[in-house]
Amino acid sequence: MNKVSDDISKDLKDQPKFTTDIGEKDQDHHSFDLGEQTTLKKIQHFLHGNPTIVPVIILILSVIAFGFIAGGKFFSAFNLSLIVQQVTIVGILAAAQTLIILTAGIDLSVAAMMVLASVFMGKLSVEMGVPTLPAIAVGFISGIATGAFNGLLVTRLRLPPFIVTLGTWNIFFALVIFFTGSQSIRSSDIEVNAPLLHFWGERINLGGFVFTYGAFLMIGIFVFLWFLLNKTAWGRHVYAIGDDKEAAELSGIRTDRMLVSIYAVAGLVVAIGAWVSIGRVGSVSPTSFYEGNLDSITAVVIGGTSLFGGRGTIIGSLFGALIVGVFSSGLSIAGLDVLWQRFALGCLIIVAVGIDQWIRKVSA
Amino acid sequence: MDKKGLSVMQPVLVAKKLSKKYGKVVALDSADLELYPGEVLGVIGDNGAGKSTLIKVLCGAVIPDSGEILLDGNKVTFTSPIEARKLGIETVYQNLALSPALSITDNMFLGREIRQKGFMGSFLKFLDKKAMADEARKRLSDLGLLTIQNINQLVETLSGGQRQGVAVARATSFGTKVVIMDEPTAALGVKESRRVLELIGEVRSRGIPIILISHNMPHVFEVADRIHIHRLGTRLCVIDPKKHEMSDAVAYMTGAKQPPQD
Ligand SMILES: Nc1ncnc2c1ncn2[C@@H]1O[C@H](COP(=O)(O)OP(=O)(O)O)[C@@H](O)[C@H]1O
Ligand SMILES: [Mg+2]
């Protein structure tokens, strides 16, 4: 674990390479350009090479700001760990969403996919007497299948992902209502028949900080995806497709096949989120996480991933999810109405996209 | 090389009666092409004559409606650029087909990455980034592209000429049979164009034949051994640049003058 986080922080540090580490000879070559650059231009270039810096700065500033506004209560171990618990599900959805947005797509159906997978897990194990592990496996298969279904529609019908997933969001939601008859599966029934479904909701206390197992799993998912995106050909191809799909195809990437696999992997991540969500909420409710689709997009965008694809980091989305959590918590402790929390979040999204647009101009 | 020499050699690549329509637009109309070992074949023609479509068919990016392609005398069909690449046909596309947000190394090895040895590579599918970076650096410096210092620089931070260099290096280092270049100097300045022309010479000296599509007559006349003139979707004629003037070539290409009858 330590090695891993070392590696990640090294990677974050490594990224400015082309601005600072370009080698003596090249410094010479570029010194004329650099002399002409304004400070603002330098910042723009730096952010362009380090897309994760913006969310990190926003996270630090917002933690400090809410420390002042909301006082000590905000900094209590209880509250900080509550924030982490609260962002677990949105964080996992954001991890899946990052994969899609990196390909210049968008997935409006992630939360509906998640609820559908959790319905399979709950229905089968609690009401139909299927052992819990196979029921969970069916949930995973549901996630992979619904993800791949999105991917197939995007690649076969050549429809924009926005439209495809707007459609499947409604379809998956309808399926949830169909399978559950709008009835929730109660927490107490799950506890009796399939306690394993609650596993990720278990808590451990680390010196006053209370974490659910699910929070660790979320971190694990982010670390895993970081490796996948940065250390494997599959990951490089995700970026290449989002950057320029036609170029990727001409470079010998089977882009359609890749896209289907990306949507399927996102579906699997979402299905893991489904299991965690049962532990977090306790019950399986067909109408839960209705805002999860948009919240995950918010986290990804605030996390510095470009909606135009090809640019961004998976770790940025984790920070994005944490920022959303810090804002909600801080504003509610400060006694602001929910409506102002949404207002602030809305402003944050627009600022984040604005910064992204500005940064992208570097390459133009 | 003289005409007699050519006719006894077997062409590396042959296109026979290739046709391609886009709706009502006839991009290729029963077009032929032959590429002989070790030669630079210039392809010239007016805008819209079908040059890009022709080479896209040859490299698998476009599937023709009819016609056939022979590689070393064997019939081949490509349904994607991957298949042509596997047989050693590499292409520098007019728009380069690079991913700007990825590094030079990533771009050079896109779609044919080197994996780590053993468990890390075969099971975890981890990339051998060091091997790829070393290889990319070697290939770029082989081509004399020493101005690039950091092989992990993002392609979008490179100048137009450097990008062209990366695309050419990618094509030439993997192209074992044929290298195709579509307007490789169109976006370049004088100095950078020179560099690309030198690269073409270096590739030819390794014995790999090249198809060079260009609008730039002086460039084509400088490096081509033979010039294929394309007009209205098909081959009008093939001329020897040593025996024809540039002004003649332009006249044939635009239909102002009848092509030589041989
Ligand atoms: N993808 C396409 N869709 C429709 N028409 C095309 C397409 N590609 C080329 N064409 C048409 O085919 C003709 C030949 O184009 P092209 O091969 O690009 O010519 P050149 O490279 O010689 O300028 C042109 O009329 C062009 O408009
Ligand atoms: Mg063209």
Side-chain angles (χ1 to χ4, degrees):
Chain A
M1 198 67 195
N2 225 337
K3 171 109 197 339
V4 164
S5 53
D6 268 8
D7 221 21
I8 292 176
S9 60
K10 187 169 144 282
D11 189 67
L12 293 176
K13 260 186 269 135
D14 264 0
Q15 287 187 2
K17 229 170 209 155
F18 71 90
T19 47
T20 57
D21 195 12
I22 217 158
E24 244 105 37
K25 269 187 244 156
D26 224 48
Q27 286 290 2
D28 258 328
H29 181 80
H30 282 280
S31 57
F32 178 69
D33 298 339
L34 285 173
E36 273 192 339
Q37 276 182 348
T38 62
T39 317
L40 205 61
K41 268 250 145 26
K42 277 186 204 161
I43 293 174
Q44 195 179 14
H45 267 281
F46 181 71
L47 295 180
H48 188 249
N50 301 272
T52 317
I53 289 290
V54 178
V56 169
I57 292 172
I58 294 180
L59 183 60
I60 292 171
L61 289 182
S62 55
V63 166
I64 293 172
F66 285 119
F68 274 111
I69 299 169
K73 223 175 136 195
F74 177 82
F75 277 122
S76 67
F78 172 77
N79 188 54
L80 290 179
S81 35
L82 192 65
I83 292 175
V84 174
Q85 284 179 37
Q86 279 168 346
V87 303
T88 303
I89 304 303
V90 169
I92 294 174
L93 290 180
Q97 188 73 256
T98 310
L99 295 177
I100 307 298
I101 292 183
L102 278 176
T103 68
I106 196 144
D107 193 337
L108 298 176
S109 71
V110 281
M113 278 162 66
M114 181 177 79
V115 176
L116 184 60
S118 68
V119 165
F120 279 123
M121 294 176 187
K123 271 265 158 195
L124 290 171
S125 60
V126 175
E127 294 180 8
M128 300 173 77
V130 176
T132 312
L133 276 176
I136 290 168
V138 171
F140 283 1
I141 292 168
S142 154
I144 295 169
T146 47
F149 182 62
N150 279 336
L152 283 171
L153 289 177
V154 167
T155 53
R156 288 293 139 84
L157 302 184
R158 308 252 158 238
L159 295 174
F162 181 88
I163 300 300
V164 166
T165 56
L166 184 63
T168 55
W169 172 13
N170 287 287
I171 293 171
F172 300 155
F173 186 67
L175 288 176
V176 166
I177 301 299
F178 173 76
F179 285 125
T180 59
S182 294
Q183 300 293 309
S184 294
I185 302 168
R186 282 182 308 177
S187 182
S188 50
D189 292 342
I190 293 174
E191 200 52 53
V192 172
N193 296 299
L196 191 58
L197 289 181
H198 280 158
F199 175 78
W200 299 105
E202 310 260 337
R203 292 175 163 78
I204 48 169
N205 191 324
L206 297 174
F209 289 87
V210 180
F211 292 106
T212 55
Y213 292 171
F216 291 107
L217 183 63
M218 172 188 71
I219 306 283
I221 289 172
F222 274 99
V223 170
F224 176 78
L225 289 178
W226 181 87
F227 272 109
L228 205 57
L229 286 171
N230 292 286
K231 300 288 179 193
T232 71
W234 189 88
R236 299 286 82 194
H237 296 178
V238 172
Y239 281 90
I241 287 177
D243 203 11
D244 187 338
K245 182 162 181 270
E246 203 197 340
E249 181 80 38
L250 292 175
S251 306
I253 296 171
R254 303 222 183 240
T255 52
D256 283 354
R257 221 184 271 181
M258 252 312 277
L259 276 170
V260 175
S261 79
I262 296 165
Y263 277 88
V265 170
L268 176 62
V269 171
V270 165
I272 296 172
W275 187 4
V276 179
S277 78
I278 300 174
R280 165 100 196 103
V281 180
S283 61
V284 174
S285 160
T287 52
S288 57
F289 297 107
Y290 198 73
E291 280 159 0
N293 296 322
L294 298 181
D295 286 347
S296 69
I297 296 168
T298 304
V300 174
V301 168
I302 293 176
T305 294
S306 170
L307 285 171
F308 299 94
R311 267 155 240 269
T313 63
I314 188 83
I315 302 299
S317 300
L318 177 59
F319 292 126
L322 287 171
I323 290 168
V324 174
V326 165
F327 262 68
S328 309
S329 162
L331 290 172
S332 74
I333 289 176
L336 262 83
D337 195 85
V338 179
L339 83 93
W340 291 114
Q341 295 176 29
R342 290 229 78 92
F343 185 90
L345 214 54
C347 295
L348 208 56
I349 293 171
I350 291 168
V351 168
V353 174
I355 291 177
D356 175 49
Q357 285 282 32
W358 179 65
I359 295 173
R360 283 173 57 89
K361 286 208 189 97
V362 165
S363 46
Chain B
M1 70 187 84
D2 63 321
K3 263 208 124 86
K4 243 188 196 146
L6 278 184
S7 56
V8 290
M9 257 195 272
Q10 185 190 39
V12 180
L13 188 67
V14 178
K16 278 187 186 164
K17 297 197 187 313
L18 292 175
S19 295
K20 175 76 192 174
K21 276 190 194 170
Y22 289 106
K24 289 203 164 144
V25 179
V26 181
L28 283 183
D29 182 11
S30 198
D32 294 328
L33 177 144
E34 287 101 34
L35 179 70
Y36 287 93
E39 75 167 344
V40 175
L41 176 69
V43 174
I44 59 174
D46 235 348
N47 258 328
K51 305 180 298 292
S52 291
T53 308
L54 174 65
I55 64 103
K56 280 189 179 157
V57 169
L58 294 179
C59 67
V62 165
I63 300 170
D65 301 331
S66 63
E68 61 182 30
I69 301 169
L70 306 178
L71 187 65
D72 284 335
N74 304 313
K75 189 169 185 282
V76 286
T77 47
F78 305 132
T79 57
S80 101
I82 303 167
E83 290 165 15
R85 281 184 10 169
K86 278 193 187 134
L87 295 178
I89 300 175
E90 286 286 329
T91 309
V92 180
Y93 294 94
Q94 195 161 356
N95 59 6
L96 299 186
L98 297 173
S99 288
L102 296 184
S103 71
I104 296 169
T105 310
D106 284 339
N107 267 287
M108 294 254 322
F109 287 92
L110 207 56
R112 51 190 148 206
E113 291 81 0
I114 303 174
R115 294 221 192 107
Q116 286 183 17
K117 298 214 161 45
F119 175 80
M120 293 292 276
S122 60
F123 187 72
L124 295 179
K125 312 244 185 280
F126 270 32
L127 297 174
D128 193 339
K129 295 206 167 186
K130 190 175 173 303
M132 290 198 291
D134 290 347
E135 193 68 24
R137 192 175 297 113
K138 183 174 167 299
R139 286 182 169 165
L140 282 172
S141 56
D142 276 356
L143 290 171
L145 292 161
L146 286 167
T147 47
I148 293 169
Q149 298 290 316
N150 184 344
I151 207 74
N152 290 318
Q153 224 171 312
L154 303 186
V155 162
E156 66 197 355
T157 65
L158 300 176
S159 72
Q162 289 173 323
R163 287 183 203 200
Q164 191 80 49
V166 173
V168 172
R170 175 168 74 174
T172 55
S173 49
F174 293 100
T176 51
K177 271 273 186 305
V178 175
V179 172
I180 302 173
M181 300 190 193
D182 193 358
E183 306 275 6
T185 57
L188 302 185
V190 176
K191 241 170 121 182
E192 294 174 324
S193 298
R194 274 264 61 84
R195 189 67 221 129
V196 170
L197 295 179
E198 283 166 29
L199 284 181
I200 291 172
E202 278 161 41
V203 176
R204 176 184 25 198
S205 69
R206 292 191 214 158
I208 299 167
I210 297 166
I211 300 176
L212 169 68
I213 293 127
S214 180
H215 261 108
N216 189 312
M217 290 301 145
H219 289 172
V220 175
F221 271 74
E222 180 182 335
V223 296
D225 299 305
R226 295 186 308 137
I227 297 173
H228 164 132
I229 301 180
H230 211 72
R231 180 168 158 73
L232 304 175
T234 192
R235 177 172 68 186
L236 183 72
C237 60
V238 179
I239 60 169
D240 182 341
K242 287 180 219 75
K243 294 181 187 146
H244 289 81
E245 296 296 319
M246 275 184 228
S247 55
D248 293 334
V250 174
Y252 303 145
M253 184 176 119
T254 54
K257 198 170 166 185
Q258 283 301 307
Q261 297 296 328
D262 53 3

